[in-house]
Amino acid sequence: QVQLVESGGGLVQPGGSLRLSCAASGNIFSISTMGWYRQAPGKQRELVARITSGGSTDYEDSVKGRFAISRDNAKDTVYLQMNSLKPEDTAVYYCNAILIVAGTAHLSDYWGQGTQVTVSL
C-alpha cells in the first residue's frame, strides 16, 4: 500500500507565498517522477510542475518564475514553493508520484488527496 500525504495549503493574499509538501510512504521500491497538479472549479486538472529522480524539472507556463519544485529523495518527499501568488492560482493542488511498488516490475501512478490553495484578499 502506498500513500501520498500533502500539507501546506491554505488562504493567502495576492502576492503572498505558500509551500506545499507531499510525502510518499508505504511499500515503495523506487520513485520516478513526482509532481503537482491543480484543479480549479469547472476546469480540468492541469500539470503545475514535475521533477524527475535526477532533478530535471518542468513547469506550466503561467507559474514559471514564481513556483519552484524540489524533492528530497531520501525522504520520498516533493515540495512546491509558490511565490507571488495570484487569485488565478486558486485551486485544489494534488501531489502525483510515478513509482515502482516493491515486489512489482512496473510503474504505477499514485495521487494524494488534494490540498486547497485559495488566493484572495
Side-chain angles (χ1 to χ4, degrees), residues 38 48-49 59 63-69 80-85 89 93:
R38 66 186 179 187
V48 177
Y59 293 93
V63 308
K64 287 179 181 177
R66 300 189 297 121
F67 291 10
I69 190 169
L80 185 67
Q81 178 65 44
M82 304 186 292
N83 300 324
S84 302
L85 281 160
D89 295 317
Y93 283 70

Side-chain angles (χ1 to χ4, degrees), residues 44-120:
Q44 290 189 331
R45 190 174 297 189
E46 64 175 1
L47 173 68
V48 177
R50 58 190 170 195
I51 183 169
T52 68
S53 57
S56 297
T57 58
D58 188 21
Y59 293 93
E60 194 270 329
D61 285 345
S62 70
V63 308
K64 287 179 181 177
R66 300 189 297 121
F67 291 10
I69 190 169
S70 61
R71 66 189 278 178
D72 184 336
N73 290 331
K75 296 181 179 180
D76 288 340
T77 299
V78 64
Y79 307 95
L80 185 67
Q81 178 65 44
M82 304 186 292
N83 300 324
S84 302
L85 281 160
K86 304 175 180 180
E88 51 264 43
D89 295 317
T90 296
V92 178
Y93 283 70
Y94 295 92
C95 176
N96 172 259
I98 300 172
L99 55 86
I100 297 175
V101 175
T104 72
H106 58 271
L107 291 169
S108 298
D109 208 6
Y110 284 86
W111 293 88
Q113 78 284 358
T115 185
Q116 177 70 46
V117 171
T118 302
V119 185
S120 179

